[in-house]
Amino acid sequence: ETGVTQTPRHLVMGMTNKKSLKCEQHLGHNAMYWYKQSAKKPLELMFVYSLEERVENNSVPSRFSPECPNSSHLFLHLHTLQPEDSALYLCASSQEGQTRIGGYTFGSGTRLTVV
Amino acid sequence: RKEVEQDPGPFNVPEGATVAFNCTYSNSASQSFFWYRQDCRKEPKLLMSVYSSGNEDGRFTAQLNRASQYISLLIRDSKLSDSATYLCVVNIKGGMRFGAGTRLTVKP
């Protein structure tokens, strides 16, 4: 596989459920990111991991919990979500020091619906 | 003030037209700049980086004015396949910040 892979592609969950989103990158990058894209809003940066350490958390509610076990994998654990959390969740990766040139590579996203 | 502001459009243009998009950013410490393209229900994909000297890639030309904190994208000879949302992106230490996007529809 190449690029950035996200699973599942679609997820419907109740407000009391616990689920996890998975992201895997095959590009040898050392930084990974979670973004949220709601309808007609800009992509919102949620979490940044660089060299497997979380370097940024943009005031994201604690019902979202990221995990980065190694430089190729990133998870977003979800629990007791609200309907307003329904959105497209995008994972991206980059190579620190080369972001200036190459930007980010995004996965196809997980479309989450909270009912 | 939003970190990255774009005219949301939509821009509806005929094939062959020239269209320009503008973007402003608020953080003067921004380090690098990009235009991304996002097709409906797909992920954003890098279109081109933007350099102070201006840069061109085929029918696409990007310009950056650091003093005015302004970025532009010019598309010449529009094709039907150019229809998409164009995202202005600014790299600030800690992560990239995206504009809400400008929607372009190219019609026959």
Side-chain angles (χ1 to χ4, degrees), chain B residues 24-98:
Chain B
T24 57
Y25 59 95
S26 60
N27 191 328
S28 59
S30 300
Q31 300 168 332
S32 50
F33 310 88
F34 306 90
W35 284 101
Y36 274 70
R37 169 192 170 130
Q38 187 171 23
D39 292 289
C40 188
R41 304 187 76 81
K42 296 284 185 72
E43 73 274 21
K45 292 187 178 177
L46 178 64
L47 178 66
M48 61 195 301
S49 302
V50 187
Y51 303 118
S52 296
S53 54
N55 49 297
E56 189 173 309
D57 182 2
R59 298 181 293 107
F60 299 83
T61 300
Q63 296 277 354
L64 166 66
N65 184 322
R66 283 188 183 269
S68 302
Q69 296 181 196
Y70 170 91
I71 305 163
S72 66
L73 176 68
L74 183 76
I75 305 175
R76 291 181 300 276
D77 189 22
S78 301
K79 311 292 185 190
L80 296 177
S81 57
D82 294 334
S83 297
T85 297
Y86 290 83
L87 306 173
C88 177
V89 185
V90 174
N91 189 24
I92 302 166
K93 186 176 180 181
M96 303 237 269
R97 305 297 195 268
F98 286 74

Side-chain angles (χ1 to χ4, degrees), chain A residues 35 37 48 99-101 104 107, chain B residues 31 34 36 38 43 94 96:
Chain A
Y35 280 86
Q37 188 173 33
V48 179
T99 304
R100 180 183 175 81
I101 302 169
Y104 291 1
Chain B
Q31 300 168 332
F34 306 90
Y36 274 70
Q38 187 171 23
E43 73 274 21
M96 303 237 269

Side-chain angles (χ1 to χ4, degrees), chain A:
Chain A
E1 290 205 43
T2 59
V4 180
T5 305
Q6 285 186 247
T7 54
R9 292 295 301 274
H10 301 273
L11 178 62
V12 179
M13 61 185 288
M15 289 190 283
T16 58
N17 291 160
K18 288 185 180 181
K19 296 285 184 184
S20 295
L21 310 185
K22 180 182 176 182
C23 177
E24 185 174 358
Q25 59 96 1
H26 308 272
L27 300 167
H29 289 166
N30 58 13
M32 296 185 78
Y33 314 83
W34 279 116
Y35 280 86
K36 174 184 178 182
Q37 188 173 33
S38 303
K40 300 189 178 180
K41 288 186 177 180
L43 274 75
E44 301 171 45
L45 179 62
M46 300 176 72
F47 300 105
V48 179
Y49 276 83
S50 176
L51 300 172
E52 302 162 36
E53 288 190 20
R54 189 191 313 180
V55 296
E56 182 154 335
N57 173 348
N58 272 339
S59 302
V60 179
S62 60
R63 56 186 185 268
F64 295 91
S65 174
E67 178 190 0
C68 187
N70 55 61
S71 60
S72 299
H73 293 86
L74 184 65
F75 295 90
L76 187 63
H77 303 301
L78 316 171
H79 65 97
T80 60
L81 294 193
Q82 304 298 312
E84 60 264 29
D85 296 323
S86 299
L88 179 67
Y89 288 84
L90 289 159
C91 172
S93 71
S94 71
Q95 184 66 18
E96 286 287 297
Q98 295 183 13
T99 304
R100 180 183 175 81
I101 302 169
Y104 291 1
T105 301
F106 282 89
S108 299
T110 295
R111 190 159 295 280
L112 173 68
T113 303
V114 181
V115 297

